[in-house]
Amino acid sequence: MEYRQLGASGLFVPVLSFGTATFGGQGDFFKAWGNTQVEEATRLVDLCLDAGVNLFDTADVYSTGASEEILGKAIAGKRDKVLISTKATFTFGEAPNNQGSSRLHLLKQCESSLKRLNTDHIDIYHMHGFDGNTPVEETLRTLDDLVQSGKVRYIACSNFSGWHLMKSLAISEKYGWNRYIAHQVYYSLVNREYEWELMPLGINQNVGAFVWSPLAGGRLGGKYGRNKPKPTEGRVVEGGSPVPQAVVSEETFYNITDALEEIAEETGKSVAQVSLNWLLHRPTVSSIIIGARNEEQLKQNLEAVGWNLTIDQIKKLDAASDVPTIYPYWHQRQNLTLNPLPKFY
């Protein structure tokens, strides 16, 4: 397993990390992801550790806390061997203060996550989304207090826009508070908007990327293709995909799967493994969050590392997945001497 330094920190993380949204299976949305309980979760954790995957990602809202509870039991006796990433911000309960990144909500959710995980600290604490109602200063001061208290080691964000992240970094610098060292983002061959602004920001400010849904909500798992019948079961069909259908152009999607199938045949790897390996070559990517409903899926995903696509294969995938940008990015790309693209090759 390869390990990469995470942003502007001294922490090293594996290039593959394990997402536990499949743990618990509570509610229609997460039930479509999976229904892993403690016994199987423990086996999956052990398989990950054997492969060098020591980072486990969860969130308070995953199955209304059940994912954290199951993960806490699955890592019992192994806490010193693992890194735990969890999140807060999204709605957890009915009262008006049971959402957001206010001091009240974050302190409550952090304490609850620690209890569910059965641990005294969280290694990486993410803001699951940006809270436009709470002053950024309130959020960051609270997070800094959590780090100072020892309950949180590092802070990160997720699903921020460019100005959300840049404003947060500027305020942390202004007051000397702990800053976001990572940004958990959606990024895949199907949707490469992350490259337009968030990737250049990550390069400039040294913010590492955790990639969620690297297989586009299951669409790049190998079941879908131009000449394949559409699946009648699975997470996408059951409404459990976190990536809306509307953001995926059908023709572009099939161009991508055509290229993936060709390269999979060339390399002797699966479509999913090629899709994951492509992400490992992208600037700022520190770790890809893989999920699995069962041991076989996990073993397959773990084989995405230990080998590399060629530059020509990467360029073929880039060409197949290229789409027009929106303003102001198409305007900026008219003069690449002023606005150079990230160095992909």
Side-chain angles (χ1 to χ4, degrees):
M1 182 58 56
E2 178 189 351
Y3 297 84
R4 295 179 180 177
Q5 191 167 356
L6 184 58
S9 79
L11 181 66
F12 284 79
V13 295
V15 293
L16 296 181
S17 48
F18 188 72
T20 65
T22 55
F23 290 7
Q26 296 188 13
D28 291 340
F29 182 71
F30 286 107
K31 185 178 181 180
W33 286 45
N35 189 23
T36 304
Q37 298 303 312
V38 175
E39 184 177 351
E40 185 175 14
T42 302
R43 289 198 302 270
L44 294 176
V45 166
D46 288 341
L47 279 172
C48 285
L49 291 175
D50 287 345
V53 175
N54 66 342
L55 173 57
F56 298 88
D57 180 73
T58 185
D60 57 358
V61 295
Y62 292 171
S63 290
T64 320
S67 173
E68 288 183 323
E69 290 178 359
I70 293 170
L71 176 61
K73 293 175 181 177
I75 63 170
K78 309 162 192 167
R79 184 63 182 95
D80 61 336
K81 299 178 181 179
V82 305
L83 298 172
I84 295 176
S85 162
T86 193
K87 315 177 193 73
T89 297
F90 291 160
T91 304
F92 196 102
E94 299 296 329
N97 285 313
N98 282 347
Q99 66 173 356
S101 299
S102 67
R103 186 175 188 86
L104 179 69
H105 184 66
L106 290 182
L107 292 178
K108 178 182 178 182
Q109 291 308 107
C110 184
E111 292 292 346
S112 297
S113 289
L114 288 169
K115 290 178 182 178
R116 286 190 291 265
L117 289 162
N118 193 29
T119 185
D120 63 354
H121 72 278
I122 295 163
D123 296 293
I124 307 172
Y125 199 37
H126 284 83
M127 298 299 92
H128 213 159
F130 186 75
D131 177 2
N133 298 311
T134 301
V136 176
E137 291 86 350
E138 179 178 340
T139 299
L140 291 169
R141 175 58 192 271
T142 303
L143 292 173
D144 191 71
D145 287 346
L146 285 171
V147 174
Q148 297 297 331
S149 72
K151 294 178 180 178
V152 169
R153 298 293 190 253
Y154 298 95
I155 61 172
C157 59
S158 182
N159 305 308
F160 278 29
S161 68
W163 77 265
H164 294 159
L165 178 53
M166 194 61 242
K167 181 176 182 178
S168 299
L169 294 173
I171 288 174
S172 288
E173 183 176 359
K174 177 180 179 180
Y175 293 104
W177 295 334
N178 281 273
R179 73 198 297 269
Y180 294 134
I181 61 168
H183 189 191
Q184 192 167 140
V185 299
Y186 168 55
Y187 183 29
S188 76
L189 272 165
V190 172
N191 300 105
R192 294 170 52 192
E193 295 91 342
Y194 169 70
E195 297 173 6
W196 298 356
E197 179 161 311
L198 292 170
M199 180 183 285
L201 193 164
I203 293 171
N204 181 266
Q205 295 295 311
N206 197 9
V207 177
F210 286 112
V211 178
W212 63 262
S213 206
L215 299 180
R219 292 180 178 88
L220 297 179
K223 294 181 179 179
Y224 292 82
R226 191 185 301 274
N227 300 314
K228 296 179 179 179
K230 291 186 177 180
T232 57
E233 58 181 22
R235 184 162 55 141
V236 177
V237 177
E238 295 168 14
S241 173
V243 182
Q245 180 64 40
V247 303
V248 182
S249 163
E250 186 171 271
E251 184 56 30
T252 301
F253 176 70
Y254 286 137
N255 289 339
I256 294 167
T257 57
D258 289 346
L260 283 169
E261 288 168 2
E262 291 175 11
I263 295 172
E265 186 173 351
E266 293 171 3
T267 58
K269 301 294 182 179
S270 71
V271 164
Q273 291 163 356
V274 172
S275 300
L276 295 173
N277 195 271
W278 175 84
L279 281 166
L280 294 176
H281 295 271
R282 313 310 279 184
T284 73
V285 171
S286 299
S287 187
I288 300 170
I289 301 170
I290 58 172
R293 293 191 182 201
N294 51 56
E295 293 182 37
E296 184 56 36
Q297 281 188 352
L298 176 57
K299 290 176 181 177
Q300 286 291 318
N301 286 336
L302 290 172
E303 291 182 17
V305 299
W307 58 280
N308 289 304
L309 294 167
T310 67
I311 296 298
D312 286 342
Q313 289 169 337
I314 294 170
K315 288 182 176 179
K316 179 185 285 189
L317 292 170
D318 286 357
S321 59
D322 189 43
V323 297
T325 56
I326 61 173
Y327 179 82
Y329 310 110
W330 59 258
H331 193 276
Q332 294 171 359
R333 291 187 179 189
Q334 291 175 2
N335 188 341
L336 293 179
T337 58
L338 291 177
N339 295 282
L341 298 175
K343 294 181 180 178
F344 294 113
Y345 317 108

